[in-house]
Amino acid sequence: MSLNNPAEIIAEIRLRFQEKGANMYAGEAISQTEHALQAAFAAEQAGESAELIVAALLHDIGHLLHKHDEDCATQGIDDLHERIGAQWLNRYFPKDVTEPIRLHVAAKRYRCATDAEYVSRLSPASVLSLQLQGGPFDSAEQMEFEHNPWSQEALRLRNWDEAAKVPDFETPELEYFLTYVQRVLQQQTPDPGE
């Protein structure tokens, strides 16, 4: 489906959250929507750009787009949500939004290779998905990640992602964060070569 203007894109994002956002966030005690809102709220509280707030909101949209069950990791399936989400978003958003999303799983793999304390704080569901996603980076993968121009944004997104798993945590509603989506869509044009 090709969406032609910001209003249509926002309506599609809203629809994805309405259709699958109430599903539990794989192995955690919160819904997909709660997780997205908590991540976006953390980015906003950190004073990040509208683009990074949108990336935090939509970092797991691949979970709302794919056809797998939410417990697919327990079935040994890596749903590749970061790739699915970034690919879908590339049609409408600038790289300031899509690259941190595409790299947020790589950021987890990097952190697990470089920070033992980080690994010890992962939830059981995150540990399981880590193994399906390839495990911690080796030294060559670490170096490649470090040289990626979006690595720092991806690492910040990863921090918000990990922190955004708190049951009953109050955040602004989805409509509030969709105003950031509208702002980004109106201010920037995605690269037509993507």
Side-chain angles (χ1 to χ4, degrees):
M1 170 191 312
S2 182
L3 307 171
N4 298 313
N5 61 59
E8 289 180 2
I9 297 164
I10 291 168
E12 183 65 21
I13 291 168
R14 185 183 294 113
L15 179 63
R16 297 296 175 165
F17 276 103
Q18 288 170 348
E19 289 178 345
K20 294 180 84 175
N23 293 350
M24 295 309 287
Y25 178 68
E28 306 291 348
I30 63 170
S31 71
Q32 292 284 348
T33 298
E34 290 169 320
H35 176 66
L37 295 176
Q38 287 181 26
F41 185 64
E44 182 186 56
Q45 293 299 297
E48 294 291 353
S49 68
E51 290 81 5
L52 215 44
I53 293 168
V54 171
L57 177 69
L58 301 179
H59 76 278
D60 278 345
I61 197 162
H63 287 302
L64 307 181
L65 295 167
H66 70 60
K67 305 296 183 208
H68 298 292
D69 293 332
E70 275 313 307
D71 67 348
C72 65
T74 62
Q75 301 167 29
I77 299 169
D78 178 6
D79 64 10
L80 304 173
H81 73 282
E82 72 282 7
R83 293 181 199 168
I84 292 167
Q87 182 179 10
W88 187 79
L89 294 167
N90 269 336
R91 295 182 281 179
Y92 312 112
F93 290 92
K95 288 184 178 187
D96 291 350
V97 172
T98 62
E99 283 301 291
I101 291 172
R102 185 180 67 81
L103 293 169
H104 81 278
V105 168
K108 176 170 77 170
R109 295 181 64 205
Y110 175 83
R111 289 283 307 274
C112 288
T114 60
D115 183 351
E117 184 182 334
Y118 176 81
V119 176
S120 72
R121 293 190 316 264
L122 291 178
S123 68
S126 199
V127 170
L128 175 60
S129 66
L130 170 68
Q131 295 312 310
L132 295 172
Q133 294 159 343
F137 275 163
D138 62 30
S139 58
E141 291 169 318
Q142 289 174 45
M143 187 176 298
E144 182 180 342
F145 181 81
E146 289 167 353
H147 287 91
N148 186 300
W150 303 102
S151 63
Q152 293 306 305
E153 290 83 355
L155 287 167
R156 292 200 309 275
L157 175 54
R158 187 77 228 168
N159 289 339
W160 305 320
D161 184 4
E162 290 301 333
K165 299 175 182 178
V166 182
D168 302 318
F169 186 83
E170 290 194 31
T171 64
E173 298 290 328
L174 178 62
E175 291 304 316
Y176 171 80
F177 288 108
L178 289 177
T179 63
Y180 283 102
V181 173
Q182 181 174 5
R183 188 179 320 159
V184 170
L185 289 171
Q186 289 176 337
Q187 290 178 352
Q188 301 187 26
T189 304
D191 182 349
E194 293 295 325

